[in-house]
Amino acid sequence: MGMTRKQRQSYEGVAVAVPVTVPYVRYSTRTAHWFIGQALEALIHGAGLKKEQIDGLSLSSFSLAPDTAVGVTQHLGLSPRWLDHVPTGGASGVMCLRRAARAVQAGDADIVACIGADTNHVDSFRLTLGSFSSFARDASYPYGSGGPNSIFAMITANYMRTYGARREDFGRICVDQRTNALGNPNAVFKKPLTLDEYMGARPISDPIHLFDCVMPCAGADAFLVMSEERARDLGLAHVVVRGAIERHNAYSDDPVMVRGGWLRDRDDLYAQAGVRPAELDFVQTYDDYPVIVMMQFEDLGFCEKGEGSAFVQSHTMTTDGSFPNNTSGGQLSAGQAGAAGGFLGMVEAIRQLTGEAGPRAVPDARLGLVAGFGMVTYDRCLCTGAVILGASS
């Protein structure tokens, strides 16, 4: 029998601090190593630390290959006593945090740098597809399935048939996120988006159109994990971890993905945090495509399965709306810097809860949820996770 929630150690005493973004650029000839180095430097300066005080490193990157986190320690002159390489893409931010939190609680590391970073040069997309997985390399890429657009077109079409969702419903998500992005200086997209523009955009892979797709770019996002006591000693604005979950290969019997692992573990998440979904001030959903955002609204308990369309029709998802979602603009409007996409919601949540969100601040935010989602195969993604963060008292 597994441990009950009461038997399992909570995340009490863990702080998350120093949200860092290495500004996104559409293309770059620099390597992932450069973006990781920039993020590490910003973490050190932001915390007022010496590099030697970083004794843990948790890293996610696609374009770092063939190197892994251990190679980065040599490149950047680190000597951590705890090291992790987390190859779960869009779920990596949540999972890096979970592992780093446990390392800090166990005393295996005092200060852990969690970094997601990737470059994006002209040939990056093809190289990523070729090395993404043996499934992608052998079973889909050779037959003309050129990446996630066609995969998520199938998932989106299946969801629309099953639950009656319409393109306009997905459009509301995209339009509101673009509005949020206008308050984010790091966002790739700087122009407002209307629902008419969304509906009239050129098709990419039916039923997916242009604004359903993220903009690949280069960049990095990062944060530090340490004890609350250490964060206070350093004088750092920080947030606390109220609860966290992850799940891999959930609902493998579903012919095509219509739900994710959040559904299996959300009761545990809210029990850890001691809150109900309605008490959250904002959510940062993983948004590689709007259909996945809608699934998270359902699977995280904000509405019932199949009611995602009605939910977005009855809510405004802007920072000043009734249900603030992806307050940075999310990947759909801020950009997707590879594995850093799994960190975007984390750094944004920290900024919201520490008063660093500027013009896109959610009023009086004290509690937020960040969800992760990653590693797509033919008809589903395999990794899901979520964390609830709270403002420090």
Side-chain angles (χ1 to χ4, degrees):
M1 291 179 63
M3 298 175 77
T4 67
R5 181 178 62 85
K6 287 184 178 179
Q7 291 173 307
R8 187 181 62 242
Q9 185 177 3
S10 75
Y11 292 91
E12 188 174 356
V14 175
V16 192
V18 195
V20 161
T21 298
V22 180
Y24 293 3
V25 291
R26 182 72 178 89
Y27 290 108
S28 178
T29 56
R30 301 185 188 276
T31 64
H33 306 68
W34 184 87
F35 286 98
I36 294 166
Q38 292 293 300
L40 180 66
E41 183 179 36
L43 289 172
I44 291 168
H45 288 315
L49 297 169
K50 296 179 180 178
K51 184 167 66 173
E52 293 73 28
Q53 292 175 275
I54 303 289
D55 63 348
L57 176 65
S58 189
L59 190 61
S60 186
S61 176
F62 293 113
S63 53
L64 182 64
D67 290 322
T68 64
V70 70
V72 168
T73 65
Q74 183 179 28
H75 297 150
L76 300 183
L78 292 170
S79 184
R81 58 195 183 103
W82 183 89
L83 182 71
D84 202 12
H85 188 92
V86 183
T88 57
S92 59
V94 171
M95 293 173 189
C96 285
L97 171 60
R98 288 186 91 226
R99 287 150 178 69
R102 293 307 191 200
V104 166
Q105 286 183 323
D108 292 339
D110 291 325
I111 301 176
V112 181
C114 296
I115 303 173
D118 269 304
T119 190
N120 188 49
H121 53 72
V122 173
D123 211 27
S124 288
F125 187 70
R126 183 185 65 82
L127 292 173
T128 298
L129 277 180
S131 61
F132 186 79
S133 68
S134 58
F135 184 96
R137 184 193 64 210
D138 299 338
S140 59
Y141 192 37
Y143 298 96
S145 179
N149 286 334
S150 56
I151 290 170
F152 281 93
M154 178 174 69
I155 292 171
T156 301
N158 178 69
Y159 182 93
M160 293 170 78
R161 286 192 302 268
T162 304
Y163 299 115
R166 304 172 304 157
R167 281 194 61 224
E168 292 92 329
D169 302 324
F170 300 132
R172 290 179 63 91
I173 294 170
C174 298
V175 169
D176 283 356
Q177 288 193 196
R178 179 65 61 87
T179 299
N180 293 341
L182 300 180
N184 178 8
N186 292 314
V188 171
F189 290 102
K190 309 292 188 186
K191 293 181 359 183
L193 176 68
T194 68
L195 189 58
D196 285 344
E197 287 171 329
Y198 170 89
M199 293 299 295
R202 63 183 172 90
I204 301 297
S205 181
D206 188 56
I208 284 175
H209 288 58
L210 183 63
F211 295 116
D212 295 305
C213 308
V214 295
M215 177 67 79
C217 57
D221 289 290
F223 52 87
L224 294 177
V225 179
M226 63 190 76
S227 69
E228 279 190 84
E229 183 180 17
R230 177 61 61 90
R232 285 193 294 266
D233 288 346
L234 291 170
L236 297 177
H238 60 278
V239 301
V240 296
V241 182
R242 298 282 298 269
I245 55 170
E246 71 177 78
R247 177 71 61 171
H248 305 273
N249 194 33
Y251 304 116
S252 58
D253 291 341
D254 289 356
V256 179
M257 178 185 183
V258 293
R259 52 186 175 164
W262 310 284
L263 180 60
R264 287 186 63 174
D265 299 298
R266 71 187 189 198
D267 290 346
D268 182 23
L269 176 67
Y270 294 123
Q272 289 178 48
V275 301
R276 302 183 307 277
E279 295 176 70
L280 297 168
D281 297 306
F282 63 81
V283 297
Q284 313 290 349
T285 54
Y286 188 79
D287 63 318
D288 46 0
Y289 296 85
V291 67
I292 301 304
V293 175
M294 197 173 285
M295 285 187 195
Q296 283 163 90
F297 291 164
E298 297 168 343
D299 295 347
L300 288 165
F302 302 108
C303 61
E304 294 300 316
K305 178 55 65 180
E307 292 181 0
S309 292
F311 184 81
V312 302
Q313 289 167 22
S314 61
H315 285 91
T316 306
M317 293 158 282
T318 51
T319 56
D320 59 352
S322 58
F323 190 81
N325 171 61
N326 285 335
T327 54
S328 68
Q331 297 173 94
L332 288 167
S333 282
Q336 184 187 65
F343 284 66
L344 177 62
M346 289 291 301
V347 296
E348 176 65 13
I350 300 166
R351 289 176 176 134
Q352 287 286 346
L353 294 169
T354 55
E356 299 173 40
R360 63 186 188 280
V362 174
D364 303 317
R366 300 287 299 170
L367 203 61
L369 183 151
V370 184
F373 178 70
M375 306 315 288
V376 63
T377 54
Y378 181 60
D379 53 7
R380 68 197 66 237
C381 272
L382 296 176
C383 309
T384 53
V387 59
I388 293 176
L389 299 176
S392 62
S393 54

